[in-house]
Amino acid sequence: MKLFLSLLALGALVGLGAWFGLAPQRAAAEAAQTKVAVYVSIPRPAGVTDETLNAEFTRAIHLYAKVRGLERKYFTYSQTGFGGLYLFENEAAAKAHFNAAWLERIQKTYGVKADPVYFSVPAVTAGAAQVAPSATNVATIIEIKTPWYATDGLVKKGLRDAIPTYAATPHLIYKYFTQGPDRSFGGIYLWEDQASAEAFLGPAWHARVTKRYGQAGKVTFLKAPVIMIQPVKSEKP
């Protein structure tokens, strides 16, 4: 039964790929001054397997494709929680989705209070891995405390100046450059697989961040086997 659900999830994801724009990512960067990312994690109920989550995620793709202002959703889970990483076209769209009714529904369904975490997204870029998202994908959230002397403008400039570096990063599918409400900065990354993410975020990366900013960066790893991407909007006048 578990094998059947896993194959069902993967088959449905492949079948829906063309419909929801799960095509190889292009390397062009995009300014994203008004975009907002949201991370939601809900405690994982006992006994719920990865295969069950994969199947449920796949069945929900069409529902999230209808959410106004939602450009992308990475359906994610870890050993202890499940939820998603969302990219909205603006803050108003994000807050309209995560409204009081949504919070109440989560509380009623899972018996816990959800606490969506918001990030502003001044820029996004595709990485060098021009491949379609797949069941092996891993997402990472990186948060680094902003030095006291760095202004908001300086941070935003630094993030945008880094676009060419991440556009050329091997095995990186996509990155949102982020700023958190606690004066942190960093990014939300989508990698080809766990090994790629761990290779990039290894001891050398941690040492470099600590040396440059005087403190360690926080890294969260999440499985991201199912993804919804809205087709790119037409630029016709």
Side-chain angles (χ1 to χ4, degrees), residues 97-183:
H97 178 69
F98 296 108
N99 56 21
W102 183 90
L103 293 170
E104 182 179 350
R105 184 168 66 253
I106 295 299
Q107 178 78 49
K108 183 177 180 180
T109 303
Y110 301 105
V112 296
K113 180 181 178 182
D115 187 22
V117 180
Y118 287 74
F119 301 88
S120 62
V121 180
V124 302
T125 187
Q130 297 187 34
V131 298
S134 73
T136 65
N137 292 160
V138 166
T140 55
I141 306 172
I142 293 176
E143 300 168 87
I144 302 169
K145 203 70 172 180
T146 302
W148 63 269
Y149 54 82
T151 64
D152 182 69
L154 184 62
V155 172
K156 282 184 168 61
K157 182 180 185 303
L159 294 176
R160 294 191 179 111
D161 287 349
I163 286 174
T165 297
Y166 288 98
T169 298
H171 309 295
L172 176 64
I173 299 175
Y174 214 74
K175 177 181 177 178
Y176 314 157
F177 294 82
T178 60
Q179 291 178 275
D182 58 348
R183 271 186 55 80

Side-chain angles (χ1 to χ4, degrees), residues 189-205:
Y189 302 66
L190 183 68
W191 300 95
E192 289 186 33
D193 50 38
Q194 183 80 22
S196 300
E198 290 179 349
F200 182 86
L201 298 166
W205 181 90

Side-chain angles (χ1 to χ4, degrees), residues 69-119:
L70 179 60
E71 298 182 356
R72 288 169 167 254
K73 179 181 177 181
Y74 304 159
F75 295 79
T76 60
Y77 59 79
S78 64
Q79 291 296 320
T80 59
F82 74 97
L85 286 163
Y86 303 70
L87 182 67
F88 287 90
E89 63 183 24
N90 54 48
E91 185 177 5
K95 290 188 173 180
H97 178 69
F98 296 108
N99 56 21
W102 183 90
L103 293 170
E104 182 179 350
R105 184 168 66 253
I106 295 299
Q107 178 78 49
K108 183 177 180 180
T109 303
Y110 301 105
V112 296
K113 180 181 178 182
D115 187 22
V117 180
Y118 287 74
F119 301 88

